[in-house]
Amino acid sequence: MGAPVHNLESRLKQSSVKVSANAKRHGRHLLSNSIFRYYFLFSILALCFVLGMVILFIGKTAMLMFGQVSLADFFFSFNWSPEEDAFGAAAFIVNTLSLTALTMVIAVPVSVGMAVLIAEIAPNWLKTFIRPVLDLLVGIPSIVYGYLGLTVLLPFLRDVSGQGLGDGILAAALVLSLMVLPTICRISDDAIVAVPRKYRDAAYALGSTRLQVIMRVVLPAAGRGIISAVILGMTRAVGETMAVVMVIGNTAQLAKTLFTPSSVLTSNIVMQISNVEFDSTWNYALHMMAFLLLVISFVLILIIRILGRKRRDAA
Amino acid sequence: MTSFTRTRHTARAQRRDKLATYGFYTLGGLILLLIFWLLISIMSKGLPSLSLDFLIKQPEEMDVGGGIGPVLFNSFYILFISLIISVPIGLGAGIYMAEYAPDNKFTGGLRICVEALSSVPSIVFGMLGLAIFAEYFGIGLTILGGGVSLALLNLPMLARVTEEAVRAVPGDIREAGYALGMTKYHVIRTVVLPVALRSIVTGICLVAGRAFGESAVIILTAGLSTSGEMWDFNLFSPGETLAVHLWYVQSEAIVEDARQIADRSAAVLVIVVLLINLAFRFPLWLNNRRQGR
Amino acid sequence: MKVFKKFTVTALTAVLAVTTAFAGIASAASNLSGKITVNGSTALLPLTLQAAKEFQKLHPKVKIAASGKGSVTGPQAVKKGIADIGACDWDASIDVPGFKAFDGQVANKVAVIPFATIVNKNVGVDNLTTDQLKGIFSGKITNWKEVGGSDADIVVITRAFGSGTRVNYQAKALAGGDIVKKEKNYKETGSSGDMKTAVATTPNAIGYIDLVYVSGDVKAVKFNGVEATTDNVINGSYKIWAYGYFMTKGQPTGATKEFIDYVQSKKFQQGSLKKLKFIPIASMK
């Protein structure tokens, strides 16, 4: 962290010497200041445009569903048999929530623990070794995760549980946990490293052990970053498809047990969207599910944020 | 330590501290074992049979011994296009959210929307890209369409990571800059960004890795075929990428050595992602080194 | 918006013109030019890609872009005008169960695709009749011993609704019978590769797949006593097969017509198509 400040000092020295002589340069700074202000504004507008476009694109088709399927059916019926005009998405909604919860329960402690290990505990050589290894995990395409899930994880789960198939939300949650691990871990890691050193020094000076420093000083201070890491990991888990469809079973029913072959919103969208006609109720319902996915993750993020704020206020 | 009297309280705290340290190491060890098992099981099948020939040859539909030449090239090309578009806009939007945007409900809502956007399955972005490029502009399945759609997919994540990185920069260094009469942009460029750079690079690495392995978007927007030429820079050629090719050989290809091609392609993908990471991190590392960190 | 669109289209075509001008210099062996987009069935994709490769060698100025995501995508893309050829595993110009006819489209037969019932290698059953298959897939028969195997639960693996393989298998092997989802031991897969891997790695599993993909790690069972081979399809004793179609908007013209003609030509049908283990359309009489 010393480097940029050092940088700053040297630059400041230079500028203080020349400041009176260089009104032109000051003008240039003002100009670049306003140019980039507009550039940043343009960027955020572009982002909003993309956001709006996606919502409009999904929403436009989704809204067509309302004329043909009643809302109560869509949200509260567990019967999804589009070939018989039954469009009940309740099972998918519940499964999506339980799969996400299960994934987070497995992934968050492990990933944040791993981040603490890398950022606070491990010696330097180990850090420089683990970080790129974790980044590698991101680059493994999801179908490779899916294939390994299909050929290694499922037979293993079958042996352990005595089930005939092994597909279900447990298998999906395990695969997803591994997939979101690097996202959560690396972003938390950066958040922890960014906690100013003086906080730690102060705590150590008061005689705290390392565990106390981590739990009571570093993690709360990095809380904001860790929460956004968790959120990014969660949204990735909610939106991941290619690997999930290979191990979840893709059966439109409520996941009553960990090993019931079932389906979540994303996997159902992916399995069916390329097999339906454009202007059919079925297609509208699938777009509605994509829209619902946006709403669900919006709500989940809101909840995480509020929980995070409460905890920080309490701490 | 010995000169202090150890109270029961501190003794317990120290015991816990030790226990936790072991705990963290065990966790780390297990995860690393898992990761290595994963990498080894991917590499051991693909790497031994990997040859330069495989990397530059054309894919084959019915004869054994097809390669991945144009597909690999398209992967880089599309990744490049998507990063060229998404990195400047993503960084700009992230900086705006962290530095300029008023801290009100609207900004908060926008932030959550941006985050929620990354939970939209990538196939929906693919369909969006299809609607824009194939339907609206009528240019069909192209490298350009694939690259832009991929950029749309990555934009939200990039913007959020940048925002967090910029926010994590301690306020006091920033204020030191203002106190000296620097303009806002000047402070961002010379003070904030250098400090936040490391996290931003992590973000770009994550995004690039994901883009490289993405298949659903490309299948819909850039297609499953190549133009058949090795160095085809034409933005309007169909652009099957390596991840898509992997999906194809694993799902539908008929050639007898499809399994081996899939294994090798997976190994190549992992190696390339490693290289991309190194390419992004090496300058950073060098810079740290030079400044005696 | 209109102006914007017009502007972008002009800009894009300008870029396109420049780039194709460069590409055009390369060769002038044939005067045929144009761009053909093929979309639709993934099962026909290997055939399309191979044909595209050979066709582009003959006519270097023709660009062929191919993609696939599901049978019905083919005729739909043609209807929307985003593809010239829609590959489909059934004749989309007439009604089939679950899908309405696409008006104004012409179905061009390009190949014969045989399908096979496959089981995991641990299953002791070698032959299944139409009724037994109907029972298994409709959930009435749940144990292998009911069809002459050992005492073990049957794991049914199927393709998603709308998959061309499923449509044809249901029509030909199950005589229109239902595939019913079950509480457990039932799974849907997204592609032929997934299907094969799932059946190969799941004990007591049964599924169905294009005959092309059948290899040593799964076992193909006889259908009503007839083995699933290309010869049996041609001599008419094995019934689970279907034509693969290239759907076009009206009669094909220009480069699209030439391409379809090439795929239907004797040279391609008896050569590459046979090598890809499809059956030439001329063999079925």
Side-chain angles (χ1 to χ4, degrees), chain C residues 33-55:
Chain C
S33 66
K35 186 169 181 178
I36 308 173
T37 306
V38 189
N39 213 329
S41 159
T42 44
L44 285 170
L45 205 55
L47 184 150
T48 313
L49 289 175
Q50 178 63 31
K53 204 169 169 183
E54 294 174 15
F55 190 73

Side-chain angles (χ1 to χ4, degrees), chain A residues 80 83 147 150-151 154 158 164-165 167 246 249-253 256 260-261 271 274-279 282, chain C residues 69-70 72-73 76 80 99-100 155 160-162 181-183 185-190 194 197 201-203:
Chain A
W80 173 266
E83 58 272 35
Y147 184 76
L150 194 61
T151 52
L154 286 183
R158 239 173 259 145
L165 197 54
D167 288 51
M246 286 176 159
N250 305 309
T251 309
Q253 58 190 355
K256 287 185 197 118
T260 309
M271 284 295 282
S274 51
N275 287 328
V276 299
E277 286 170 59
F278 284 134
D279 31 331
W282 193 342
Chain C
K69 206 74 186 93
V72 76
T73 342
Q76 273 190 130
K80 278 194 154 188
F99 294 96
K100 279 199 222 58
V155 176
F161 184 87
K181 69 181 178 222
K182 297 193 288 177
E183 180 80 0
N185 293 340
Y186 174 91
K187 169 174 181 159
E188 287 183 12
T189 54
D194 286 359
T197 315
T201 56
T202 314

Side-chain angles (χ1 to χ4, degrees), chain B residues 106-137:
Chain B
F106 178 75
T107 314
L110 182 67
R111 186 173 299 136
I112 298 181
C113 275
V114 171
E115 284 170 348
L117 207 55
S118 41
S119 67
V120 174
S122 49
I123 192 167
V124 174
F125 279 91
M127 294 179 64
L128 177 68
L130 186 73
I132 297 175
F133 289 99
E135 250 179 88
Y136 190 73
F137 289 130

Side-chain angles (χ1 to χ4, degrees), chain C residues 27-250:
Chain C
S27 159
S30 145
N31 287 324
L32 196 65
S33 66
K35 186 169 181 178
I36 308 173
T37 306
V38 189
N39 213 329
S41 159
T42 44
L44 285 170
L45 205 55
L47 184 150
T48 313
L49 289 175
Q50 178 63 31
K53 204 169 169 183
E54 294 174 15
F55 190 73
Q56 277 172 320
K57 276 211 186 92
L58 292 174
H59 306 281
K61 278 190 195 163
V62 178
K63 286 208 153 194
I64 302 180
S67 186
K69 206 74 186 93
S71 265
V72 76
T73 342
Q76 273 190 130
V78 171
K79 187 176 162 195
K80 278 194 154 188
I82 56 181
D84 307 294
I85 295 175
C88 190
D89 294 3
W90 64 82
D91 185 350
S93 61
I94 54 169
D95 287 340
V96 293
F99 294 96
K100 279 199 222 58
F102 286 84
D103 291 330
Q105 294 199 8
V106 175
N108 306 278
K109 285 180 193 171
V110 290
V112 173
I113 316 168
F115 303 95
T117 311
I118 50 171
V119 293
N120 185 276
K121 275 164 114 180
N122 85 330
V123 173
V125 177
D126 290 317
N127 178 38
L128 287 167
T129 64
T130 309
D131 284 336
Q132 284 171 332
L133 284 174
K134 272 172 115 167
I136 290 172
F137 281 99
S138 66
K140 286 187 197 82
I141 298 175
T142 55
N143 198 304
W144 280 113
K145 73 178 176 205
E146 293 171 58
V147 290
S150 51
D151 181 11
D153 284 344
I154 298 177
V155 176
V156 173
I157 300 181
T158 178
R159 294 286 299 274
F161 184 87
S163 140
T165 312
R166 177 166 165 160
V167 167
N168 286 313
Y169 189 80
Q170 238 175 319
K172 305 279 164 60
L174 306 181
D178 276 342
I179 297 180
V180 181
K181 69 181 178 222
K182 297 193 288 177
E183 180 80 0
K184 55 179 211 145
N185 293 340
Y186 174 91
K187 169 174 181 159
E188 287 183 12
T189 54
S191 69
S192 305
D194 286 359
M195 167 65 92
K196 187 174 154 190
T197 315
V199 173
T201 56
T202 314
N204 305 315
I206 183 170
Y208 49 87
I209 200 167
D210 299 30
L211 184 60
V212 184
Y213 300 107
V214 176
S215 64
D217 42 5
V218 291
K219 188 168 93 178
V221 294
K222 288 179 193 157
F223 176 63
N224 292 334
V226 184
E227 213 171 320
T229 60
T230 28
D231 289 342
N232 285 343
V233 173
I234 294 170
N235 69 30
S237 53
Y238 185 78
K239 301 289 183 201
I240 317 176
W241 59 270
Y243 285 111
Y245 297 88
F246 275 180
M247 305 300 300
T248 51
K249 202 179 236 168

Side-chain angles (χ1 to χ4, degrees), chain B residues 15 52 55 169:
Chain B
R15 232 183 4 256
L52 189 66
L55 293 181
V169 175

